[in-house]
Amino acid sequence: DKVDDLQEWLSKSLCTSIEFPASSISEQPWIFLNPATEAFLQKMKTNSAKQLSDIAYLYVGLQTSADPIYILKPTKETLQDITVEKNNKEWIIEKSVLRPCIYDLTFLPFSSPECNAYIIFPYTIDENGANLIPSSIMKEKYPKCWEYLLSNKTRLQKRDIQKGNSGNWYQFGRSQSLTKFNGKHKIIWPVLSLDSNYVYDDKDVLFTGGGNGPYYALRMKDGQQLSLFYLLGILSHPMIEMLVKSKASTFRG
């Protein structure tokens, strides 16, 4: 309705008010829920036997600090190599130093993500963790990839590399999650989403991302008997989605 006289409209007490306890206001973003909704969500939490963190690990993606260099979408592909166009030039990269990944991919609920790109992965993984492949081995085993990386050396050196040194200029910007992609099945979801778009991955799909995404993942802790499919159904339930939206940050658009 159109309001012609604001004071008259206010005087008719058309506005209702709800009181919230002072404890609901903190340094965190303020979220005011309808009291009935808040009571229902609190009941859910009170009656829950476990929290998600009790049974599963949540983690972010790989953090290269230079995705446009490391992530490659091939124009041609063979069993041994891929061909990409970068910096107005065609490059051939050995597949043996690449891992399939997803990049700028939209999910459908309950689907399985199909890799749409490759990522240069200059690491070996063993029981001690992730180890950067020495430059001498990179030159010997992956000369085409090494040539491509050398062409981007100046740009890669400008990154703020965690625990880096001048000889490791081709390492990822951060070491988080390097060992998380270890063949175990997982659930992946986009960080920015209007719906509960959780997907199941059994192909060890890689992805990049930090605090704001684009993706997060979850895998069961060792010894847990719950099925990931069961957890996928729980997370995709409208009640859980309501709980997430009641606490999540809102981004423009």
Side-chain angles (χ1 to χ4, degrees):
D1 293 336
K2 182 179 178 182
V3 177
D4 295 314
D5 189 323
L6 180 60
Q7 293 302 319
E8 180 184 359
W9 180 75
L10 292 174
S11 68
K12 291 180 179 179
S13 301
L14 294 177
C15 297
T16 59
S17 62
I18 300 174
E19 291 189 3
F20 293 89
S23 59
S24 65
I25 300 176
S26 68
E27 70 276 2
Q28 300 298 320
W30 296 355
I31 300 174
F32 299 114
L33 297 177
N34 181 287
T37 302
E38 183 70 55
F40 176 77
L41 295 179
Q42 186 59 47
K43 182 178 179 181
M44 285 178 59
K45 288 188 283 187
T46 301
N47 294 330
S48 296
K50 294 182 178 180
Q51 293 187 344
L52 188 59
S53 58
D54 294 330
I55 62 174
Y57 292 108
L58 280 73
Y59 53 96
V60 298
L62 302 169
Q63 299 183 52
T64 70
S65 300
D67 282 359
I69 293 175
Y70 287 95
I71 295 180
L72 310 171
K73 290 197 172 186
T75 56
K76 291 184 287 187
E77 188 171 345
T78 69
L79 291 176
Q80 291 78 32
D81 308 303
I82 67 168
T83 301
V84 295
E85 293 183 2
K86 292 280 188 178
N87 303 323
N88 299 316
K89 180 179 177 179
E90 276 197 345
W91 300 91
I92 296 176
I93 310 291
E94 298 90 348
K95 272 188 175 179
S96 50
V97 75
L98 304 176
R99 296 277 298 273
C101 72
I102 54 175
Y103 187 64
D104 194 23
L105 186 67
T106 301
F107 293 160
L108 293 176
F110 298 103
S111 63
S112 293
E114 296 293 334
C115 294
N116 62 344
Y118 288 96
I119 184 170
I120 297 174
F121 193 78
Y123 293 88
T124 58
I125 306 295
D126 57 30
E127 63 275 6
N128 297 317
N131 307 290
L132 185 68
I133 301 174
S135 58
S136 57
I137 296 179
M138 287 290 295
K139 295 175 189 177
E140 179 184 350
K141 293 186 65 175
Y142 317 111
K144 299 172 185 177
C145 179
W146 186 248
E147 181 185 2
Y148 167 74
L149 290 173
L150 281 175
S151 72
N152 291 285
K153 183 175 181 178
T154 300
R155 293 170 62 190
L156 293 176
Q157 285 179 318
K158 291 180 179 179
R159 296 173 299 161
D160 176 21
I161 298 179
Q162 185 183 57
K163 297 180 181 179
N165 60 56
S166 59
N168 295 344
W169 53 269
Y170 56 97
Q171 73 177 58
F172 288 174
R174 298 290 183 271
S175 60
Q176 286 95 323
S177 298
L178 281 172
T179 59
K180 295 295 191 300
F181 299 91
N182 54 7
K184 293 187 177 181
H185 298 184
K186 61 183 178 287
I187 294 173
I188 309 173
W189 65 95
V191 172
L192 299 181
S193 179
L194 296 176
D195 301 296
S196 54
N197 292 328
Y198 299 92
V199 299
Y200 174 80
D201 170 49
D202 60 356
K203 301 175 183 176
D204 205 20
V205 168
L206 273 65
F207 57 85
T208 60
N212 289 330
Y215 309 107
Y216 280 168
L218 168 157
R219 60 184 175 87
M220 304 301 290
K221 290 184 176 180
D222 294 338
Q224 286 296 324
Q225 301 302 314
L226 283 178
S227 164
L228 262 184
F229 292 115
Y230 175 80
L231 198 53
L232 180 62
I234 294 281
L235 291 173
S236 301
H237 194 281
M239 294 300 181
I240 298 299
E241 182 65 10
M242 182 174 67
L243 176 62
V244 170
K245 287 183 176 179
S246 73
K247 300 300 181 182
S249 300
T250 301
F251 281 69
R252 181 177 175 223

